[in-house]
Amino acid sequence: MLKSLYIKNYALIDSLEIDFDNGFSVITGETGAGKSIILGALGLILGQRADAKAIKKDENKCIIEGEFDISEYNLNEFFTERDIEFDKNCILRREILATGKSRAFINDTPTTLTDLKELGSRLIDIHSQHQNLLLGDSRFQMQIVDTLAGNKTLLKDYQESFKDYKSALKALEELKEIVRLNKEEEDYLRFQYNSLTEADLKEDEQEELESELEELNHAEDIKSGLYKIHTLLSDDDQGIILRLKESLSTSQSLSSFFQRSDEFTERIQTAYIDLKDLGSEVERMAEDVEFNPERLNFIEARLDTIYTLQKKYNTSNISGLLALQSELAKKLENIESSDEDILLLEKEVSLKAETMLKLAQKLSENRQSITNKFEKELIQSAAYLGMPNIQFKCSFEKESQPNNFGIDKLTFMFSANKNASLQPIAEIASGGEISRIMLCLKSMLAGAMALPTIIFDEIDTGVSGEIADKMGIIMQSMGKNMQVLAITHLPQIAAKGSAHYWVYKLDNETSTTTNLRRLTDQERLEEIARMLSGSVLTDAAIENAKVMLNHH
C-alpha cells in the first residue's frame, strides 16, 4: 500500500508531503485545484515518461518520492533478480532535471524506467477517466478474462511459444525467398560456373604464359643474343675462356717460386670452370630457342580466354576467378540441397505450431470455463448499481490466425434492457453505464490481481444520487481487502471514506500553488456540505452531511 507521498517543485507544487491510510480514502477539491497534478506526480514514480516542463517554474529539479508497504506481496524475487536490497518499506523516487534528464531509484538504488514501471504495475492501478474507453478494446476485455481465469503463467508460456513459432515461420519464409531467387538465376549461375570450370584455370598459369609469350615474340633476338654470349665466352681466338685458360697456365707456372699465386690460381680455375660450363649451357639454350607459331597461337588464345573471363567477372587475376568459381559452386550446392533444408524447417515450424496451438487451446478453455460465473457476477453487481435489466455476454469467435493473445476473438456484448438485442458494449453503453460496469470489473479484478492499491480518478462520471451511494459502498467494500483511493466530485462517495484528503490552491501576488492535506472531522463535514450545496453553506446541507457521515 501507499504509505506516503513527497513532491517537490512539480508543476504548481512547491513542497508537499502526505501520509495515506489503508482501507478506503477519498480525495476531493474544486475543479482545477490540482488533483490531476498529484496523479501526474504519482505516475512518474510508477514509470511514466518525464517532461522537463513539469518542473516548477524557475527551479532546476523536481523530486517525487513514494513509500510503499510491500511486506505482503511476494516481491522478493523482483528485487533479487535486479540485485536491489529488499525492504518491506519500499521507496520509489524519481528526479527530473531542467535539462530534460531524469533518474529513477528503488530503495536508493539507481534503476531503469522499465523496472520502475514493472514494479509500479504490481503496486498501484490508477483508473483514470480515459480508461473507460478501454472497455471497448478487445485486448482489454481479454486481459480482464485472463486475469479472472488465472491465466498469467499460461499466457506467458503461450506468448513465448507464439514468438518461437513466428521466428521459425519467418526463417522459413526467408529461406523460401532466397531459394526462389536462387532458382530464378540458377541457369545463369550454372552458366557462369561452367564457363570457369571449362577454362580449367591454374593458380600461377597467367604469369607463366605471359612470360613464355614474351620469349616467343622475341625468339630471334634471344637466339642471336645467346650465340653472341657464347662467342664472347668460347671463341677459339679471342674468347674469354681461352684467355682464362692462358691465365690459369701462367698462374700455375708461378707456383713453384711464388706461393701467393696459389690463391688466385684457385680463383682463376673456378672462374674458368664456371664460364666454360656457362658457355656450353648458353650454346644449348641458343640451339633450343625456336620460333613456334603453333605454340604462340595457343598461348595467345589461352591468355585471351583468361583476360576475357577477368574482364567479364571484374577481377585482375586468376585467384579472383578461382574464388568466384568456388562461391558459385557453393551457391549451386545450396540450391541443390535447398529443398531438403526447406523440408527440415517446415517440420520445425509444424512442431512449434503444434505446441503453440495446444497452449492456445488451453487458454481458450480456461477463458470459457469462467465466463458463466463472470457474466453472472457482473450482472449481479450491475443490478446493484441501478441496472436491473442488464444483459451481458462474452462472445467468443475463433481468429483466422493466432495472435499474441491466442486464437480467441472476444467481444463483450451488452444491453441495458431485458428485451433488446445484445450489441458490442462500446457501441451501445452510455457514459454512466460504462462507469458503473468499469467499477464492477475493477472490483472483481482487485481480488484476482491482489493489488496493494487502486486509485479511482472520477470513475463516478455520469452517475449521481442513490447509484453514487452504492458505488461508494462497493469501493468501501473493496477497501476492506486493499487500499482504495477515490478522486470524486460526489458527496455520496466522499462520505464513505475512512480518510478524506482535500486538494486546494493558494494564490498570492507572485504565484499559485497546489496543496493536499487530510481534513479534520469538522473540515470534512463542511467539505461534504459544500459538495451538496455549493460555496454557500446552509444548515440543511450541514445536517445532510452529518447524516451521510453517520451512515458511512
Side-chain angles (χ1 to χ4, degrees):
M1 60 165 278
L2 177 63
K3 293 179 67 177
S4 66
L5 183 64
Y6 170 74
I7 305 171
K8 185 174 179 62
N9 297 330
Y10 177 77
L12 297 179
I13 297 173
D14 277 337
S15 181
L16 184 155
E17 189 167 7
I18 190 80
D19 295 329
F20 292 98
D21 279 7
N22 56 8
F24 177 45
S25 301
V26 296
I27 300 173
T28 64
E30 293 181 1
T31 301
K35 297 184 290 295
S36 61
I37 293 174
I38 292 166
L39 282 181
L42 189 57
L44 290 176
I45 59 170
L46 300 178
Q48 291 180 7
R49 293 202 170 274
D51 186 346
K53 295 176 183 177
I55 300 175
K56 197 171 191 300
K57 187 179 179 183
D58 300 327
E59 297 294 342
N60 296 319
K61 179 171 77 171
C62 79
I63 300 171
I64 299 98
E65 187 173 285
E67 182 179 358
F68 297 82
D69 179 352
I70 61 170
S71 56
E72 299 178 8
Y73 299 102
N74 300 319
L75 293 170
N76 303 60
E77 187 178 340
F78 174 91
F79 289 83
T80 302
E81 288 175 352
R82 292 156 181 80
D83 198 23
I84 299 173
E85 183 180 354
F86 177 82
D87 191 314
K88 68 175 185 178
N89 290 319
C90 175
I91 296 176
L92 307 186
R93 188 169 83 253
R94 191 82 178 275
E95 297 179 359
I96 302 159
L97 306 178
T99 58
K101 293 181 179 179
S102 79
R103 297 187 296 174
F105 302 86
I106 299 175
N107 289 343
D108 287 329
T109 299
T111 190
T112 64
L113 274 189
T114 301
D115 284 347
L116 195 69
K117 193 168 189 175
E118 182 176 341
L119 180 57
S121 70
R122 294 160 75 171
L123 296 177
I124 294 184
D125 174 20
I126 298 180
H127 179 88
S128 56
Q129 291 180 64
H130 76 271
Q131 273 197 305
N132 285 347
L133 300 175
L134 289 175
L135 191 54
D137 184 272
S138 59
R139 290 189 177 184
F140 179 72
Q141 294 175 6
M142 193 72 78
Q143 286 169 0
I144 290 172
V145 172
D146 278 334
T147 301
L148 295 174
N151 279 341
K152 182 177 180 181
T153 301
L154 180 60
L155 180 61
K156 184 179 179 182
D157 292 342
Y158 165 79
Q159 288 175 338
E160 288 176 359
S161 178
F162 178 70
K163 183 179 178 182
D164 288 344
Y165 162 74
K166 293 292 285 186
S167 178
L169 187 62
K170 182 181 179 183
L172 176 62
E173 290 170 349
E174 288 175 350
L175 177 59
K176 284 182 175 179
E177 178 64 13
I178 290 169
V179 169
R180 184 187 67 79
L181 293 173
N182 284 345
K183 284 190 173 180
E184 281 183 359
E185 59 174 351
E186 182 179 6
D187 290 343
Y188 180 59
L189 292 174
R190 198 166 294 283
F191 168 77
Q192 289 180 308
Y193 177 72
N194 289 340
S195 69
L196 291 169
T197 52
E198 287 167 6
D200 192 24
L201 300 169
K202 305 293 186 295
E203 187 67 51
D204 299 321
E205 180 182 11
Q206 183 177 350
E207 292 79 5
E208 293 172 359
L209 289 173
E210 287 173 342
S211 177
E212 188 178 352
L213 180 65
E214 282 294 301
E215 289 182 15
L216 286 171
N217 283 331
H218 297 85
E220 292 301 321
D221 294 335
I222 293 169
K223 195 175 190 72
S224 174
L226 290 174
Y227 274 129
K228 184 176 181 180
I229 293 169
H230 177 261
T231 300
L232 290 171
L233 289 172
S234 307
D235 185 73
D236 292 342
D237 296 325
Q238 299 293 328
I240 294 170
I241 293 172
L242 179 63
R243 293 185 180 185
L244 276 172
K245 186 177 181 181
E246 291 174 356
S247 298
L248 178 63
S249 179
T250 303
S251 175
Q252 288 171 336
S253 68
L254 296 175
S255 63
S256 59
F257 48 82
F258 185 56
Q259 291 184 355
R260 283 184 292 173
S261 70
D262 291 346
E263 180 183 347
F264 51 78
T265 297
E266 185 179 344
R267 292 171 65 184
I268 292 170
Q269 187 171 19
T270 299
Y272 171 73
I273 294 169
D274 285 347
L275 288 175
K276 188 177 180 182
D277 185 62
L278 178 62
S280 299
E281 187 174 343
V282 167
E283 185 180 22
R284 285 194 303 272
M285 289 174 65
E287 290 172 355
D288 289 342
V289 172
E290 289 184 9
F291 176 69
N292 186 339
E294 289 182 3
R295 179 64 180 171
L296 178 66
N297 289 338
F298 169 79
I299 290 172
E300 286 178 338
R302 182 64 176 163
L303 285 172
D304 182 60
T305 297
I306 292 170
Y307 295 151
T308 299
L309 289 171
Q310 287 175 346
K311 184 177 181 181
K312 182 177 181 179
Y313 299 117
N314 194 29
T315 184
S316 60
N317 51 52
I318 286 181
S319 295
L321 292 173
L322 290 172
L324 176 61
Q325 182 180 331
S326 176
E327 182 184 336
L328 289 167
K330 189 174 181 180
K331 281 188 175 181
L332 289 168
E333 183 182 344
N334 288 340
I335 290 171
E336 288 168 3
S337 64
S338 59
D339 289 342
E340 185 179 341
D341 293 338
I342 287 174
L343 284 173
L344 287 172
L345 203 46
E346 282 177 339
K347 186 175 180 181
E348 182 183 344
V349 169
S350 178
L351 288 172
K352 289 183 181 296
E354 186 179 347
T355 301
M356 173 197 66
L357 289 172
K358 282 181 180 177
L359 291 169
Q361 185 61 36
K362 181 62 177 172
L363 270 176
S364 185
E365 290 170 1
N366 284 7
R367 288 163 180 164
Q368 296 188 47
S369 70
I370 61 97
T371 52
N372 283 340
K373 181 182 177 185
F374 167 46
E375 290 163 356
K376 287 176 182 176
E377 287 186 7
L378 183 67
I379 289 170
Q380 187 178 356
S381 295
Y384 176 72
L385 292 179
M387 292 189 285
N389 298 317
I390 180 178
Q391 297 181 75
F392 179 82
K393 286 284 183 185
C394 293
S395 172
F396 283 95
E397 295 178 12
K398 191 169 183 178
E399 291 280 10
S400 58
Q401 293 292 331
N403 58 40
N404 203 41
F405 290 90
I407 53 175
D408 294 320
K409 183 178 182 181
L410 172 63
T411 306
F412 284 175
M413 304 296 287
F414 168 84
S415 173
N417 302 307
K418 187 178 293 185
N419 298 317
S421 60
L422 290 165
Q423 296 183 45
I425 194 166
E427 297 177 10
I428 191 172
S430 68
E433 289 166 345
I434 285 178
S435 293
R436 283 176 276 177
I437 290 169
M438 281 299 285
L439 179 59
C440 295
L441 289 172
K442 289 287 180 175
S443 176
M444 295 167 70
L445 289 171
M449 295 175 70
L451 269 173
T453 302
I454 186 166
I455 298 176
F456 291 114
D457 181 16
E458 299 185 9
I459 196 172
D460 48 30
T461 300
V463 299
S464 59
E466 182 185 356
I467 302 305
D469 189 67
K470 289 182 176 180
M471 289 181 79
I473 290 171
I474 290 177
M475 290 184 228
Q476 193 178 47
S477 177
M478 290 172 66
K480 293 175 183 177
N481 302 309
M482 64 188 301
Q483 184 184 43
V484 180
L485 290 168
I487 296 172
T488 182
H489 287 295
L490 299 180
Q492 295 91 337
I493 291 176
K496 298 289 188 298
S498 58
H500 190 146
Y501 301 89
W502 183 51
V503 181
Y504 60 101
K505 279 184 180 178
L506 288 176
D507 295 304
N508 58 37
E509 294 179 358
T510 59
S511 66
T512 299
T513 59
T514 288
N515 296 272
L516 173 69
R517 65 181 178 84
R518 181 169 179 165
L519 297 180
T520 66
D521 289 345
Q522 181 59 35
E523 288 171 334
R524 184 180 186 188
L525 175 66
E526 293 173 1
E527 169 66 1
I528 291 175
R530 250 188 301 272
M531 295 172 76
L532 287 164
S533 66
S535 57
V536 179
L537 285 180
T538 64
D539 291 340
I542 292 286
E543 289 303 316
N544 197 358
K546 286 179 181 179
V547 172
M548 283 185 170
L549 288 168
N550 287 333
H551 286 84
H552 81 277

